[in-house]
Amino acid sequence: APKIQFNTTVYDFGSTSSVQQLAGKFIISNTGSGTLEIKKPQPSCGCTVPALKTDKLAPGESTELTFTLNVGTPRGHLEKHITVPSNDPTQPSVNLTLKADIVPTFDVTPANISLGNIHQGLITNITLQIKRLDGKPLGLTKVEAGTKNVRPKLGTAEGSNQVVQLTVEIEADGAPRPLNDTVRVFGADTNAPAITVPINGRIVGDVTASPEAQFWGIADAENWPGGHPEQSARKFTLVCTKPGTSFEIKKATTELTDVTVEVKPLE
């Protein structure tokens, strides 16, 4: 019978930083007396890509299982797996482990920008601090955002070129809507950002609605709402976002033919 054997089942990269991708290989040998047939390796996630040089080994032959692991921008312990099936009757599948401890190159404070509600027409300025942790110069070359109303700017490096201020100006222009964007800071590699800062919030007008959406799950339309007429009505609370002012809503309409809308004052 065939017998599958690996030079190791754990590939430990140790501590690493400033990488977008890791790569390595396992050596597979057939130490049995029959032909070893290796089936397609199955990674535990899409970020791991294994490649088998050959899928059949005669007794005494060996081959390579290479892999690439897309790291992205995590920090801390990283662990992924590759399952290798074969026709070895004693080991029909072998689990391979890939490990690494990702040490961040930069520390960003705060790590994300949470704005909450921003009233239309207002401009908000947020200041972040970027610090390089490995003792090397910052080496940051440019900064950009995805939308024109988010305008980031890098300051001048301080403290042996290891600390810099990042100022982000956010303008609440346009219609009320969710605001989701990212600020991307680049180093020498201008194709992949060295730092990504997510931004989330909401641009609001003079009036907000709570909740912002309603959903009716109607399984049987002909018998709706059955013995529960209260389920056919939902309420929104309209709130003025300008303290000390008042507002009046004279009419509310809907494009849905089976829905009627009514506005009532709330004491």
Side-chain angles (χ1 to χ4, degrees):
K3 183 173 178 59
I4 192 169
Q5 183 174 309
F6 290 81
N7 62 326
T8 181
T9 57
V10 178
Y11 201 110
D12 193 346
F13 289 93
S15 296
T16 185
S17 62
S18 299
V19 293
Q20 293 293 316
Q21 190 178 82
L22 297 171
K25 66 180 178 181
F26 294 92
I27 304 298
I28 307 175
S29 302
N30 180 9
T31 60
S33 57
T35 300
L36 177 66
E37 297 179 2
I38 307 170
K39 300 176 183 179
K40 184 178 180 180
Q42 302 295 328
S44 59
C45 70
C47 60
T48 306
V49 182
L52 192 62
K53 205 166 188 179
T54 181
D55 59 359
K56 290 185 180 181
L57 296 177
E61 289 186 338
S62 299
T63 190
E64 295 179 355
L65 172 62
T66 60
F67 66 87
T68 56
L69 174 59
N70 295 318
V71 176
T73 55
R75 60 174 63 195
H77 185 69
L78 178 69
E79 184 170 315
K80 303 296 179 181
H81 299 273
I82 302 173
T83 301
V84 183
S86 73
N87 65 336
D88 182 340
T90 60
Q91 292 188 94
S93 68
V94 178
N95 181 58
L96 306 178
T97 301
L98 319 176
K99 297 196 299 182
D101 290 307
I102 309 300
V103 180
T105 305
F106 298 94
D107 181 71
V108 184
T109 307
N112 60 76
I113 300 175
S114 182
L115 300 169
N117 290 336
I118 309 178
H119 200 278
Q120 283 174 308
L122 294 183
I123 297 178
T124 301
N125 287 280
I126 308 293
T127 300
L128 302 90
Q129 178 177 276
I130 300 175
K131 182 178 181 181
R132 183 146 187 164
L133 303 177
D134 58 5
K136 297 180 181 180
L138 276 164
L140 300 177
T141 57
K142 69 173 184 176
V143 60
E144 65 182 24
T147 56
K148 64 179 182 179
N149 59 315
V150 177
R151 298 182 283 269
K153 183 180 180 181
L154 277 174
T156 304
E158 302 173 358
S160 302
N161 293 328
Q162 293 177 3
V163 179
V164 69
Q165 300 289 336
L166 171 63
T167 303
V168 183
E169 183 181 86
I170 302 165
E171 182 179 2
D173 64 342
R177 66 189 187 279
L179 175 61
N180 297 293
D181 201 350
T182 56
V183 172
R184 298 176 294 280
V185 186
F186 295 84
D189 182 3
T190 57
N191 295 317
I195 301 166
T196 301
V197 181
I199 301 174
N200 62 80
R202 185 169 187 84
I203 299 174
V204 298
D206 292 343
V207 178
T208 62
S210 177
E212 296 179 350
Q214 295 282 13
F215 173 77
W216 282 268
I218 303 174
D220 185 0
E222 293 183 359
N223 297 311
W224 171 262
H228 301 279
E230 70 281 357
Q231 293 185 3
S232 64
R234 302 288 174 87
K235 293 181 180 180
F236 294 88
T237 302
L238 303 179
V239 181
C240 180
T241 60
K242 289 185 176 181
T245 62
S246 61
F247 69 96
E248 180 182 1
I249 297 177
K250 296 181 178 180
K251 185 179 181 181
T253 62
T254 175
E255 296 176 352
L256 301 173
T257 57
D258 294 334
V259 177
T260 57
V261 182
E262 184 181 9
V263 180
K264 292 183 178 181
L266 182 64
E267 296 294 339

